[in-house]
Amino acid sequence: MTSATNTANLERPLRKDAAQHRQQLLAAAVQVFDEQGLDASVTEIARVAGVGIGTLYRRFPTKDALIDALVREILGATIQMARDAVRAPDGTGLERFLEASSAYQAEHAGCLPRLWNTDHEMVKTARQLIAKLLVDAKKHDRIRHDLTSTDLSLAMFSLLGVLEATLPVAPDAWRRHLDLLIAGMRPAALNLPHRALSTASLDKVLATHIPTVAAR
Amino acid sequence: MTSATNTANLERPLRKDAAQHRQQLLAAAVQVFDEQGLDASVTEIARVAGVGIGTLYRRFPTKDALIDALVREILGATIQMARDAVRAPDGTGLERFLEASSAYQAEHAGCLPRLWNTDHEMVKTARQLIAKLLVDAKKHDRIRHDLTSTDLSLAMFSLLGVLEATLPVAPDAWRRHLDLLIAGMRPAALNLPHRALSTASLDKVLATHIPTVAAR
DNA sequence: CTCTATACGGAGAGATCACTCCGCTTAGAC
DNA sequence: GTCTAAGCGGAGTGATCTCTCCGTATAGAG
């Protein structure tokens, strides 16, 4: 499964012009998906990038592959933010991470529906780091002890819902919603009434979530 | 704007067979949109309903009109649940409503992305009722006083995000997330750090939210 | 400068979709 | 039973999308 056409693989270095076109295409895709959603046509992306469709398809064998490359970029940045947050000494890492990653996602909203959808190793890595952040936050009593890491996954879907709805008009509205979520995560006398989602179920959720483009 | 082809208008009573086909089409649409999302083809809906495409298009002049009819059904039910909740005497109306309407939406998930998107009178009505529920809940000190009704709108987008992600695999996961949201809504010493969305902005959000199908 | 592997553009193939049109059928009033 | 307004089915239209193919252009090694 460690296939080709991924990120900056060292399979064979691209010719200089080709490498530049690749970057132009990625940038154009971010912009176009952001403005029009994942249903935007590849023709439009090529136009914005200033290259032909043929060029796009040599670089990314399929529209999905292009989206996938973008998703990898976002996941990579997210993982980096989680790593940084782990180093926070006072148990605030989780909160910092949620704020930072949401802010980043707000600026790369185009392909968010696909973010957690794929079976990348990266998703697992991200989830493990987030779980670590949660443990640490509990240790410092900043987060209620009956909160699970699956709850955090749900919280990210939740933020995604808010982002998708509000982003074009109120680009900061998600911050207020995150306030509310974190308020709910604080330690409290009463436990949350319902049982948390099992990690097995969550795995299935992530494997299923929104086919949108895939089914063509 | 009080146009034709709406719900059970009394413009001219439909012929008996036609009325029945209309119901079959609505039921089929619920099922198909639920399984395949709003991108499902109208041909498929007609097939499931057991009628021809022509029949579908005489009853609903456009795919959008069909979706709209479904949205009206959901909104109607939602408004009814809000009305019921207003009658709760102990300030628990808001919580009851959130639980009941989410449960209902979980069973009509197909066209949720369009739920709050349209400019119906019904949306305004629903929002007014929800605002009333909020006031009442604050009066009984069940909900923090710095929570606004726009926060509740964000919470509904949030639930929608969770529903869309989890529904097929974990049909009850939203309950746990609602627990978390409500925990955050409870009175607390500290105010939420960020300012709430203004109602004017929220209006724009609702007017913009996800074109998905409209733009064809 | 030469030469070739690599890259480029974009017309067009093939699918799929929403929607229309029209000849046939039928509910239901009389 | 008759008659007709209302309803029906589904082939066909035109738009749009992803992806392919191939003649042309060029980077860059020798």
Side-chain angles (χ1 to χ4, degrees):
Chain A
M1 282 292 162
T2 38
S3 68
T5 326
N6 284 353
T7 23
N9 258 351
L10 18 148
E11 303 219 329
R12 288 274 161 166
L14 287 176
R15 227 167 68 177
K16 199 176 66 179
D17 53 345
Q20 189 192 338
H21 287 157
R22 186 176 193 279
Q23 290 309 315
Q24 288 170 355
L25 281 165
L26 285 172
V30 167
Q31 178 189 327
V32 171
F33 285 145
D34 221 61
E35 290 167 359
Q36 309 187 24
L38 284 177
D39 286 342
S41 76
V42 290
T43 315
E44 173 70 4
I45 293 174
R47 202 187 57 75
V48 170
V51 304
I53 330 164
T55 303
L56 186 154
Y57 272 94
R58 178 159 314 88
R59 225 36 69 206
F60 304 97
T62 218
K63 184 180 178 180
D64 262 22
L66 173 57
I67 296 174
D68 213 60
L70 293 179
V71 167
R72 280 171 192 279
E73 277 194 356
I74 300 180
L75 275 179
T78 303
I79 288 172
Q80 190 50 54
M81 287 182 278
R83 288 225 168 86
D84 292 348
V86 167
R87 310 178 63 192
D90 48 356
T92 60
L94 180 62
E95 295 155 57
R96 288 170 195 236
F97 167 75
L98 287 174
E99 200 268 337
S101 66
S102 300
Y104 182 85
Q105 284 177 31
E107 300 197 336
H108 298 71
C111 39
L112 288 191
R114 293 297 206 83
L115 232 205
W116 306 103
N117 193 15
T118 29
D119 57 349
H120 299 152
E121 282 305 305
M122 307 181 79
V123 173
K124 286 186 194 164
T125 308
R127 282 171 59 193
Q128 283 167 5
L129 284 166
I130 294 172
K132 192 181 291 184
L133 287 169
L134 177 60
V135 169
D136 195 50
K138 285 183 185 173
K139 213 173 278 171
H140 289 76
D141 261 328
R142 294 192 63 88
I143 297 292
R144 56 195 311 156
H145 286 240
D146 61 340
L147 201 83
T148 69
S149 65
T150 60
D151 291 325
L152 292 176
S153 290
L154 294 194
M156 305 209 64
F157 287 126
S158 143
L159 279 163
L160 200 143
V162 172
L163 278 174
E164 282 185 346
T166 61
L167 207 51
V169 170
D172 274 336
W174 62 268
R175 290 181 190 275
R176 173 78 174 183
H177 185 67
L178 181 55
D179 288 346
L180 182 66
L181 289 176
I182 290 181
M185 294 180 188
R186 295 282 181 225
L190 297 176
N191 280 356
L192 297 178
H194 294 94
R195 274 214 304 210
L197 193 62
S198 72
T199 49
S201 295
L202 182 64
D203 285 340
K204 276 189 233 161
V205 168
L206 295 180
T208 316
H209 182 211
I210 309 181
T212 317
V213 185
R216 280 261 179 188
Chain B
M1 281 290 163
T2 40
S3 67
T5 327
N6 285 353
T7 23
N9 258 352
L10 17 148
E11 301 219 333
R12 290 274 160 165
L14 286 177
R15 226 168 69 177
K16 201 176 65 179
D17 52 345
Q20 190 193 336
H21 287 155
R22 187 176 192 279
Q23 291 308 316
Q24 289 171 354
L25 281 165
L26 285 173
V30 167
Q31 178 189 326
V32 172
F33 285 145
D34 221 62
E35 290 167 357
Q36 309 187 23
L38 283 178
D39 287 341
S41 76
V42 290
T43 315
E44 173 70 2
I45 293 173
R47 201 186 57 75
V48 170
V51 304
I53 329 164
T55 303
L56 186 155
Y57 272 95
R58 179 160 311 91
R59 227 35 70 205
F60 304 96
T62 217
K63 184 179 180 180
D64 261 21
L66 173 58
I67 296 173
D68 214 59
L70 294 179
V71 166
R72 280 172 192 279
E73 277 193 356
I74 300 181
L75 276 178
T78 303
I79 288 172
Q80 190 51 53
M81 287 182 279
R83 288 225 169 86
D84 292 349
V86 166
R87 309 179 64 194
D90 47 356
T92 60
L94 180 62
E95 295 155 56
R96 288 170 194 235
F97 166 76
L98 287 174
E99 200 266 338
S101 66
S102 299
Y104 182 85
Q105 284 176 31
E107 301 199 334
H108 298 72
C111 39
L112 288 191
R114 293 295 207 84
L115 232 205
W116 306 104
N117 192 15
T118 30
D119 58 349
H120 298 154
E121 283 305 306
M122 307 181 79
V123 172
K124 286 185 193 164
T125 308
R127 281 170 59 193
Q128 283 166 5
L129 284 166
I130 294 172
K132 193 181 291 184
L133 288 168
L134 177 60
V135 169
D136 195 48
K138 284 182 185 173
K139 212 172 280 170
H140 289 77
D141 261 326
R142 294 192 64 89
I143 298 292
R144 57 195 311 156
H145 286 239
D146 61 340
L147 200 83
T148 70
S149 66
T150 59
D151 290 325
L152 292 177
S153 291
L154 294 195
M156 305 209 65
F157 287 125
S158 143
L159 277 163
L160 201 144
V162 172
L163 279 174
E164 282 186 345
T166 61
L167 207 51
V169 170
D172 275 335
W174 62 268
R175 291 181 189 274
R176 173 79 173 183
H177 184 68
L178 182 55
D179 288 345
L180 182 66
L181 289 175
I182 290 182
M185 294 180 188
R186 295 281 182 226
L190 297 175
N191 281 357
L192 297 178
H194 294 92
R195 275 214 305 209
L197 194 62
S198 73
T199 50
S201 295
L202 181 64
D203 285 340
K204 276 189 234 161
V205 168
L206 295 181
T208 316
H209 181 211
I210 309 182
T212 317
V213 184
R216 280 260 178 189

